[in-house]
């Protein structure tokens, strides 16, 4: 059984479906980054609490304080690193086209890409004229360009999210090590 070739309209519909899908993936990635930022805030609060306990009234040996302070410093540095990486998922510091090789060489994507549209049309009249002048092939090409950009943008953001999650795991491990060390040292000094 041979399937019919897709029409130009169905190809544009498929492009729209893919663009919608990648918009949902980007939103999901940003939502996950927000969860990482919240977890980082909780770890930061925990680090602050441990820091106040560590350098409050304590009877711990100097070497124990130094070891725990180093572990706590590692946890703080890892939390800050994770927060920086997670915030890079929410907003990129560079335009999307600059995130991957050859992105700046792509044709402009009128209507599908906000920065391209503003660059092409600085007034509503110019925007309306440019949008009305597009034929079906130009609309399809603009959609393809935008899909290519959002695919790369999603991959870039997801890689940063994954790196942030990995660093936050190490921060949590360092935090737990500090807490365990502090509890053990306090118990030992109380005995």
């Amino acid at each position: 059984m041979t399937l019919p070739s897709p029409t130009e309209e169905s190809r544009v519909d498929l492009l729209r479906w893919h663009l919608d899908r990648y918009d949902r993936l980007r939103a999901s990635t940003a939502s996950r980054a927000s969860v990482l930022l919240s977890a980082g805030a909780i770890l930061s609060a925990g680090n602050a609490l441990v820091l106040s306990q560590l350098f409050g009234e304590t009877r711990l040996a100097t070497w124990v304080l130094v070891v725990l302070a180093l572990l706590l410093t590692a946890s703080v540095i890892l939390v800050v690193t994770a927060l920086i990486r997670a915030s890079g998922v929410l907003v990129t510091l560079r335009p999307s086209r600059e995130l991957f090789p050859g992105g700046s060489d792509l044709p402009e994507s009128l209507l599908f890409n906000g920065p391209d549209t503003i660059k092409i049309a600085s007034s509503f009249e110019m925007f309306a004229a440019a949008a009305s002048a597009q034929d079906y092939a130009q609309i399809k090409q603009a959609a393809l360009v935008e899909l290519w950009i959002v695919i790369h943008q999603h991959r870039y953001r997801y890689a940063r999210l994954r790196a942030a999650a990995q660093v936050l795991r190490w921060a949590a491990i360092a935090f737990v090590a500090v807490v365990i060390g502090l509890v053990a040292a306090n118990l030992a000094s109380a005995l």
Side-chain angles (χ1 to χ4, degrees):
M1 178 172 149
T2 305
L3 295 174
S5 297
T7 65
E8 287 298 308
E9 286 179 29
S10 65
R11 286 184 181 152
V12 170
D13 284 342
L14 183 60
L15 285 171
R16 186 180 70 220
W17 180 86
H18 282 295
L19 286 168
D20 288 344
R21 175 178 173 261
Y22 273 96
D23 279 343
R24 288 189 304 273
L25 286 172
R26 287 188 295 177
S28 171
T29 303
S31 177
R32 291 175 184 180
S34 298
V35 170
L36 277 176
L37 291 170
S38 297
I42 292 168
L43 268 176
S44 292
N47 282 332
L49 181 64
V50 169
L51 184 64
S52 69
Q53 292 295 314
L54 193 60
F55 292 107
E57 293 182 36
T58 183
R59 299 175 304 203
L60 300 177
T62 304
W63 73 269
V64 173
L65 282 174
V66 169
V67 168
L68 292 176
L70 287 173
L71 277 172
L72 188 63
T73 301
S75 179
V76 168
I77 289 170
L78 290 167
V79 167
V80 170
T81 302
L83 294 178
I84 290 169
R85 289 184 178 193
S87 66
V89 173
L90 298 175
V91 178
T92 56
L93 299 177
R94 299 181 298 169
S96 296
R97 288 174 182 266
E98 293 178 16
L99 296 178
F100 58 93
S104 57
D105 298 330
L106 291 170
E108 292 170 336
S109 178
L110 180 66
L111 301 180
F112 291 89
N113 184 286
D116 286 354
T117 302
I118 297 300
K119 187 167 81 173
I120 293 168
S122 58
S123 69
F124 175 73
E125 291 76 22
M126 291 173 70
F127 168 75
S132 298
Q134 274 193 315
D135 63 26
Y136 217 74
Q138 291 169 319
I139 293 169
K140 187 173 113 183
Q141 180 183 10
L144 278 170
V145 168
E146 184 61 11
L147 181 57
W148 184 246
I149 290 170
V150 298
I151 287 170
H152 280 281
Q153 186 184 62
H154 177 259
R155 287 180 53 117
Y156 172 83
R157 288 182 175 186
Y158 195 80
R160 291 187 64 91
L161 177 66
R162 184 173 285 183
Q166 186 64 32
V167 171
L168 198 61
R169 284 185 193 117
W170 286 108
I173 290 168
F175 174 74
V176 169
V178 170
V179 170
I180 290 169
L182 184 59
V183 168
N186 279 329
L187 285 174
S189 69
L191 297 177

